Amino acid sequence: MATNFISLVTNVLVARWTEPYNMGVWNIALLFTVYSPALQLGVLNGLNRELPYLIGTGDKEKSLNMARASYAWCLILSVLSILVAVGFVIWFWYRGQEKECYTSIAIGVMIVCSWLSLYFTTTYRTHAEFGRLAKNTTLVALVGVAFTLFVWRFGYFGLMIRAALLAILGVVALYCKRPIPVRPKWDTALLLHLVRVGLPIWFLGVMASFFMTMDRLVLAKSPQSLGYYTAAIQVGSFVSMIPIAFTMVLYPQMSHR
């Protein structure tokens, strides 16, 4: 909650120092980061349920193998995301659209980092490392306050620099002293099991993401209007984090028990 409050304050500053049209363009681009988690096809949703359950039953070896398989899946998604991002960058560069080109780089970095961030966050929740997870996210949020100077100095390009750096820093913070220090290892059978377990949860999450961003989709045809709508997006995101904060703690604990 503290982390999200800090983020809300910094996002207000970011919106204040960015022109409404550019802020609208950025909000449209951020939709890719909202919808991209759907590509994990429920693997991480299944891991979030199965990992604490297996640890609770004492089947440590199978839980570690599931973590290894999920790690490998996230790395594959990261590589694919890099290839897609490079394709967008080349396309916009060829068309002479410099702003869109740099936006693609920033969004690409965020999506690539998001796969590892989702995986590491799941492992922290599984081992009840909620305190350490909270410290990591709060640290990144505090650094984000300092990084708002990039926006103040460079405007829209500073916004992209800030977003990319925070994404990288978030992964590094989660990686250090991670609770399950395993190496990635492909396991088709375990991945299919995670898909079967996680797919219903994944489907609800995808539909919720789509429903909660329909306002942005409607306003996407007018970046200027969407830029002015930024304040509503930020408040809505902050309020939605209240139930999410409880879920992040309670769900894995219930699975474990």
Side-chain angles (χ1 to χ4, degrees), residues 225-245:
S225 299
L226 185 55
Y228 285 118
Y229 190 67
T230 299
I233 295 173
Q234 293 171 348
V235 172
S237 298
F238 176 72
V239 172
S240 68
M241 287 306 299
I242 297 174
I244 291 175

Side-chain angles (χ1 to χ4, degrees), residues 53-72:
Y53 176 76
L54 290 171
I55 292 174
T57 60
D59 195 344
K60 182 178 180 181
E61 186 59 30
K62 188 174 181 180
S63 66
L64 292 178
N65 287 334
M66 279 193 172
R68 295 185 182 102
S70 301
Y71 197 177

Side-chain angles (χ1 to χ4, degrees), residues 136 182 231:
N136 287 344
V182 297

Side-chain angles (χ1 to χ4, degrees), residues 34-95:
V34 175
Y35 299 141
S36 61
L39 299 176
Q40 52 99 3
L41 300 178
V43 170
L44 295 178
N45 300 100
L47 183 69
N48 191 35
R49 190 268 185 194
E50 288 292 272
L51 206 55
Y53 176 76
L54 290 171
I55 292 174
T57 60
D59 195 344
K60 182 178 180 181
E61 186 59 30
K62 188 174 181 180
S63 66
L64 292 178
N65 287 334
M66 279 193 172
R68 295 185 182 102
S70 301
Y71 197 177
W73 178 241
C74 288
L75 289 178
I76 290 175
L77 291 174
S78 297
V79 173
L80 292 176
S81 299
I82 291 173
L83 295 176
V84 173
V86 170
F88 273 104
V89 171
I90 294 175
W91 169 256
F92 286 124
W93 185 266
Y94 177 78
R95 293 168 59 90

